[in-house]
Amino acid sequence: MRISYNWLKQFLKIDLPSEETAALLTDLGLEVEVVEKYQSVNGGLVGVVVGEVISCEKHPDADRLKVTTVDLGDGNPPVQIVCGAPNVAAGQKVPVATIGTKLFDHEGKEFEIKKGKIRGQESNGMICAEDELGLGSNHNGIMILDSKIKPGTPLATVLKIENDEVFEIGLTPNRADAMSHMGVARDLRAGLIQRNKNCELITPSVSAFKVDKRTLKIPVDVVDSKLAPRYCGVTISGIKVKPSPEWLQNRLKAIGLTPKNNIVDVTNYILHDLGQPLHAFDAAKINGKLIIQTVASGTKFTTLDDVERTLHEDDLMICDETGPLCMAGVFGGKSSGVTETTTSIFLESAYFNPVTIRKTAKRHSLSTDASFRFERGIDPNITEYALKRASMLIVEVAGGEITSDVIDLYPKTVEDFSVFLNFDKAFKLIGQEIPKETIKKILASLDIKVNSITDAGLGLTIPAYRVDVQREIDVIEDILRVYGYNNLNFTKKINATVANSPRTEDYKLQNIVATQLNALGFNEMMANSLTTGDYVKLSPQLKEEYNVRMLNPLSNDLATMRQSMLFSGLEAVSYNCNRRNSDLKLFEFGKTYHKLLSGYSEKKHLTVFATGNRQTESWTNGQPKASDFFLFKGYIQAILDRLGYVKTQHKPIQNDVFSEGIALSLGNDVLVELGTVKKHILKHFDIKQDVFYADFNWDLIIKLIANKIKFQEIPKYPEVRRDLALLVNQSVPFEAIYNTARQTEKNLLKQIQLFDVYEGKNLPDGKKSYAVSFVLQDSLKTLTETQIEKIMHKLVAQFETELGAELR
């Protein structure tokens, strides 16, 4: 938000340097991000003075040039200046850019005036035309000034060039009361009073407002006062729509607005002056009375930007007896707007329901200065005052007469807020005692009335425009920001409490897993829990009726809380792949959200993604090697091993997410599902390479994890390895061999490892070969060859019986 310092000084008589004012505003919570210089003419015409042409002779070597001598009023002899303007003549008062002056033309291009020679004649400056000073585009001749002006007078003084400083304030969304120059002035006054610099808030008087005639009355009907709690209006006739006067244009230009015409400019001025949005209707285009109401869903309406919009049944509209004219508090309509031919207007000033305005603005993807203020909450008590102020300004800059009484429909007054401030609670939260008289002084400077005083605290009435101050804690925050955080005392002693928590705390397990994944080359990501509801169409497992929808979504793409973390992860994969970063290892801790018949449900997950090459191309690695399913499975198994889930069961799965995958379970509880994401899902995200995805049920991981660590002594006796080449049917998975071996020898068999799979030549049809290693070890003694052979014979026999395996 841009605030003009000159404009601010209309409310407060202060002469502080802008740097000091910016620092004070920042201390008050209105953070000034930057202070910019503003000049109504680029460069401020510094170095340009009024000169008097003493003589004017034809240039000896150029037909179109003239040699002049000009008195610059600086006490020195007149200087010689060569000029090409056809209208220059002796005795004129003209603008002269002296040597070293930097000028900006009407296109903003800078050029510097230098001493030089033109066709052999010395020239010590430049007599300027309008476009050379940046005052317009006219280059027919030099500017001729009033003959009464004294030579040497700075041209900026003659033309009343506006020099201003503009504060760019990073306004927080809760400070609706500070969305105007008057609002900022109120806060600044409170800060100055606290720093013993008393000043009064000066508000323009509307006592001179009067109705000239009662010749144009337009009735108003508010159908639902809950949607429009207050509505004011007045008619003004006999106006002339034209450009605004310089002072008004400069005010708007300083804060970055482009002047349109005197009527629109006044409404914009009042909006930024008082914080009250206004709207002007061409009275001749209003048929019958004005009706503030909602209209039927599907109604077509063309706004001022010439876009036809389809209205919602909850959109509040300003209508006449033939149809809608304006989207209340959001955007005007093309059919009723002010044009150059407008001679009478109906001027609206209203207080609309903030929720209604916000929903309308979001539905139609509109964000205007008016909706920005209405949806955050404006002051309902200045509605009529702002209308009168604007009416008087319009009569001043556009002529005309006020031709109706002020209509003020305000059936139920918006009440101020009542709060009780407890001194002890305030001091406890602040951390020190602030004198009670200081607190009262601060509250008074913020227009907060003290209704009752007791030893325990103060009974307060908060003005309705302070929509962010409705609780005791809000009042304490206001006191503290005005008192000054920098004025609080801080102790040199630091108190801390060391909390003892078990090793199975959620955050500790997350740190353990994150550390392991980081060591494996994975990067942690954080995706938005808000996403599009259309993703449920990619997976039949997800149901549209389970979507948790936002009431006021920022956009359609952020309208629903995610049911699955897969799609937000694929968005990140797609984003990186599109930027030539296709070798990815990502993981995320997060939640999914579901709307069930029994209520809302949140579930914690850990998701892991891998895609692209497992290692980059180099002279040591050779050609890059792509990630594969078994490598990815190893990563997931390593996580479970680290958490102590060693004895898990593997079960193949194939569903609407995985083209191939497995579930790792502990008994009947599925800890994690992993696999290769189906191609049609990847195609939706424009991903052209395989993506491996794992989804941990993190709630279950935490629930089942063992709290105690079991320690085992390192064996003193050697281990023995034996290998078998087993010929089995192609339908037999390695998991069957693994489980059979475990059941056959539970004590001495320590490891079972598959190190080769062969299918093809020299094998019978329908067969494949597994090369499996078995590691045996006794923790109490060295195994004998007899024991080893006995165990191996038992394993082979069991493989033959259970699986139909043969030794190769």
Side-chain angles (χ1 to χ4, degrees):
M1 182 181 71
R2 293 173 66 85
I3 293 293
S4 157
Y5 200 16
N6 287 350
W7 198 336
L8 205 60
K9 289 176 181 178
Q10 292 178 190
F11 291 97
L12 297 171
K13 297 300 181 184
I14 55 175
D15 57 359
L16 297 176
S18 59
E19 295 80 7
E20 189 175 332
T21 301
L24 179 53
L25 287 172
T26 299
D27 288 345
L28 289 166
L30 304 177
E31 182 183 1
V32 177
E33 297 172 345
V34 67
V35 181
E36 297 178 352
K37 299 286 186 184
Y38 168 78
Q39 295 168 319
S40 56
V41 175
N42 270 352
L45 300 182
V46 176
V48 182
V49 299
V50 176
E52 182 177 4
V53 181
I54 304 300
S55 65
C56 179
E57 305 292 340
K58 183 177 176 301
H59 193 291
D61 298 319
D63 292 338
R64 296 185 178 181
L65 297 180
K66 296 177 181 178
V67 179
T68 67
T69 55
V70 182
D71 178 11
L72 299 180
D74 56 2
N76 295 317
V79 298
Q80 180 172 293
I81 299 176
V82 177
C83 179
N87 63 331
V88 64
Q92 293 173 340
K93 299 289 177 64
V94 293
V96 179
T98 56
I99 302 298
T101 298
K102 293 182 178 179
L103 296 178
F104 298 82
D105 63 20
H106 69 284
E107 294 180 350
K109 296 179 181 178
E110 178 185 339
F111 59 97
E112 184 178 346
I113 304 301
K114 298 179 180 180
K115 183 178 180 179
K117 287 188 176 182
I118 301 176
R119 293 289 183 95
Q121 296 293 315
E122 189 176 280
S123 185
N124 298 284
M126 182 172 74
I127 303 175
C128 301
E130 182 181 288
D131 65 329
E132 293 164 335
L133 295 172
L135 299 173
S137 58
N138 188 349
H139 195 70
N140 294 330
I142 59 169
M143 289 181 65
I144 300 175
L145 304 174
D146 191 332
S147 61
K148 296 178 181 178
I149 302 174
K150 184 180 177 181
T153 304
L155 186 63
T157 303
V158 175
L159 299 181
K160 297 180 180 179
I161 299 300
E162 179 91 1
N163 288 290
D164 198 357
E165 292 172 291
V166 180
F167 303 116
E168 186 72 49
I169 295 179
L171 193 67
T172 53
N174 63 307
R175 292 303 307 276
D177 63 294
M179 292 189 294
S180 65
H181 285 76
M182 185 172 74
V184 173
R186 276 193 303 243
D187 253 27
L188 185 57
R189 177 194 59 175
L192 291 170
I193 291 174
Q194 175 59 24
R195 286 150 185 80
N196 298 318
K197 297 178 180 178
N198 291 327
C199 57
E200 292 296 323
L201 186 68
I202 304 167
T203 53
S205 173
V206 294
S207 60
F209 176 88
K210 64 183 179 68
V211 178
D212 299 298
K213 296 177 182 177
R214 291 177 175 83
T215 55
L216 182 59
K217 181 180 179 181
I218 298 178
V220 176
D221 180 18
V222 176
V223 174
D224 187 349
S225 61
K226 291 181 180 178
L227 302 181
R230 189 173 190 183
Y231 192 89
C232 296
V234 72
T235 62
I236 306 173
S237 303
I239 63 168
K240 184 176 181 181
V241 179
K242 58 183 179 180
S244 298
E246 284 294 321
W247 71 266
L248 182 53
Q249 292 196 37
N250 287 336
R251 283 285 181 264
L252 298 179
K253 288 178 181 177
I255 59 172
L257 297 181
T258 302
K260 299 283 196 285
N261 59 56
N262 49 4
I263 307 301
V264 175
D265 291 350
V266 167
T267 62
N268 283 333
Y269 177 83
I270 293 299
L271 182 144
H272 291 276
D273 187 55
L274 304 176
Q276 172 65 55
L278 305 170
H279 187 70
F281 299 87
D282 188 330
K285 298 175 182 177
I286 299 174
N287 294 302
K289 66 179 179 178
L290 284 178
I291 309 168
I292 292 80
Q293 63 181 359
T294 56
V295 295
S297 181
T299 301
K300 302 297 182 181
F301 178 68
T302 303
T303 45
L304 282 170
D305 56 357
D306 210 21
V307 174
E308 185 180 73
R309 304 179 189 276
T310 303
L311 300 179
H312 186 272
E313 60 186 5
D314 293 330
D315 291 336
L316 185 63
M317 304 297 295
I318 312 299
C319 308
D320 64 8
E321 294 179 359
T322 61
L325 302 175
C326 172
M327 298 175 73
V330 180
F331 211 9
K334 184 179 180 181
S335 64
S336 62
V338 173
T339 65
E340 292 179 356
T341 60
T342 298
T343 58
S344 60
I345 63 170
F346 177 86
L347 187 62
E348 166 197 279
S349 178
Y351 174 78
F352 296 117
N353 181 283
V355 175
T356 300
I357 301 305
R358 175 171 173 78
K359 287 183 177 180
T360 296
K362 292 301 176 185
R363 268 193 293 268
H364 297 281
S365 300
L366 290 170
S367 180
T368 61
D369 283 338
S371 67
F372 182 82
R373 286 159 176 79
F374 275 127
E375 66 191 31
R376 285 161 175 78
I378 62 171
D379 185 357
N381 295 317
I382 67 165
T383 311
E384 184 183 15
Y385 168 77
L387 180 68
K388 290 180 177 180
R389 170 92 171 114
S391 301
M392 293 168 65
L393 278 176
I394 288 175
V395 171
E396 177 186 328
V397 303
E401 297 175 315
I402 296 173
T403 51
S404 76
D405 291 313
V406 171
I407 296 170
D408 187 4
L409 303 180
Y410 195 16
K412 185 178 179 180
T413 304
V414 178
E415 300 293 339
D416 293 337
F417 311 109
S418 295
V419 174
F420 183 80
L421 174 66
N422 184 285
F423 287 132
D424 289 339
K425 185 174 181 180
F427 298 153
K428 183 178 180 181
L429 287 171
I430 292 171
Q432 71 180 57
E433 284 197 24
I434 296 176
K436 294 179 181 179
E437 289 303 317
T438 300
I439 291 177
K440 295 176 187 176
K441 181 180 177 182
I442 291 172
L443 292 173
S445 70
L446 291 170
D447 294 334
I448 297 176
K449 296 178 182 178
V450 178
N451 295 324
S452 62
I453 303 174
T454 66
D455 291 338
L458 303 173
L460 306 174
T461 297
I462 316 295
Y465 65 80
R466 289 304 306 273
V467 293
D468 62 320
V469 183
Q470 299 185 25
R471 304 169 299 165
E472 183 182 21
I473 187 64
D474 300 327
V475 176
I476 295 171
E477 181 186 1
D478 251 21
I479 292 170
L480 191 50
R481 69 182 180 85
V482 175
Y483 181 75
Y485 290 97
N486 295 331
N487 295 325
L488 294 180
N489 298 321
F490 293 90
T491 62
K492 297 180 180 178
K493 180 182 177 182
I494 298 178
N495 297 320
T497 302
V498 179
N500 183 26
S501 58
R503 57 177 290 274
T504 54
E505 281 285 328
D506 187 357
Y507 76 93
K508 289 187 176 181
L509 295 180
Q510 287 192 35
N511 286 338
I512 289 170
V513 173
T515 300
Q516 175 158 339
L517 287 169
N518 286 149
L520 292 171
F522 284 81
N523 292 309
E524 185 170 6
M525 60 171 278
M526 293 181 68
N528 198 335
S529 295
L530 295 175
T531 184
T532 173
D534 294 339
Y535 282 154
V536 297
K537 299 175 183 177
L538 298 177
S539 171
Q541 288 182 343
L542 307 177
K543 304 296 182 183
E544 189 168 354
E545 59 265 28
Y546 294 167
N547 276 339
V548 179
R549 294 181 176 85
M550 306 302 294
L551 294 176
N552 295 310
L554 296 172
S555 68
N556 290 331
D557 290 336
L558 298 173
T560 306
M561 302 193 78
R562 61 186 177 186
Q563 284 193 51
S564 170
M565 293 174 62
L566 168 64
F567 307 116
S568 52
L570 291 178
E571 286 176 352
V573 171
S574 175
Y575 182 89
N576 280 273
C577 287
N578 290 338
R579 286 152 183 81
R580 306 186 68 179
N581 182 27
S582 57
D583 301 332
L584 300 167
K585 294 179 182 178
L586 305 171
F587 71 95
E588 179 185 9
F589 291 97
K591 291 183 178 182
T592 57
Y593 307 86
H594 314 268
K595 183 182 180 181
L596 308 176
L597 292 176
S598 58
Y600 292 98
S601 170
E602 295 183 16
K603 298 178 182 179
K604 283 188 177 180
H605 297 260
L606 163 64
T607 54
V608 184
F609 296 84
T611 185
N613 295 322
R614 68 174 74 177
Q615 59 189 24
T616 57
E617 182 180 9
S618 73
W619 67 275
T620 54
N621 299 331
Q623 293 297 316
K625 189 174 182 180
S627 298
D628 57 44
F629 176 84
F630 295 102
L631 174 68
F632 187 68
K633 177 191 168 188
Y635 292 144
I636 305 308
Q637 188 65 59
I639 294 172
L640 293 176
D641 291 346
R642 179 66 181 85
L643 294 173
Y645 294 105
V646 179
K647 298 179 180 179
T648 55
Q649 295 84 45
H650 298 192
K651 180 182 177 182
I653 55 172
Q654 188 170 1
N655 54 30
D656 55 313
V657 171
F658 299 119
S659 57
E660 59 175 352
I662 59 173
L664 304 183
S665 306
L666 195 64
N668 294 324
D669 296 316
V670 178
L671 299 176
V672 58
E673 292 183 346
L674 66 137
T676 308
V677 180
K678 282 190 171 180
K679 297 292 185 184
H680 80 274
I681 296 178
L682 299 180
K683 185 178 180 180
H684 181 84
F685 294 89
D686 196 28
I687 299 173
K688 299 178 177 63
Q689 59 193 44
D690 286 339
V691 176
F692 304 100
Y693 166 66
D695 184 3
F696 286 81
N697 185 339
W698 193 251
D699 287 323
L700 188 61
I701 294 280
I702 296 171
K703 178 181 177 182
L704 299 180
I705 197 165
N707 194 28
K708 293 183 179 180
I709 300 175
K710 295 181 180 179
F711 296 93
Q712 185 175 327
E713 184 181 359
I714 297 174
K716 298 178 181 178
Y717 302 97
E719 61 183 29
V720 177
R721 170 174 165 164
R722 292 290 185 267
D723 297 341
L724 294 177
L726 300 172
L727 189 66
V728 297
N729 291 331
Q730 286 188 337
S731 61
V732 177
F734 169 69
E735 184 180 21
I737 293 174
Y738 183 92
N739 291 336
T740 302
R742 282 293 184 195
Q743 293 169 4
T744 303
E745 178 54 56
K746 297 180 180 180
N747 296 323
L748 300 181
L749 184 59
K750 303 300 180 183
Q751 293 182 29
I752 307 166
Q753 189 72 36
L754 176 68
F755 62 87
D756 188 40
V757 180
Y758 176 72
E759 298 179 60
K761 190 177 179 181
N762 299 327
L763 291 183
D765 291 341
K767 297 288 185 177
K768 62 182 175 182
S769 174
Y770 283 141
V772 187
S773 68
F774 301 87
V775 176
L776 306 170
Q777 188 178 44
D778 191 332
S779 60
L780 301 177
K781 60 183 179 181
T782 302
L783 290 172
T784 65
E785 192 64 32
T786 301
Q787 288 176 294
I788 297 169
E789 289 300 320
K790 183 179 178 180
I791 294 171
M792 295 306 297
H793 282 304
K794 187 165 59 171
L795 288 172
V796 171
Q798 202 67 22
F799 291 148
E800 291 175 349
T801 303
E802 297 287 337
L803 306 175
E806 303 175 30
L807 286 178
R808 287 186 64 198

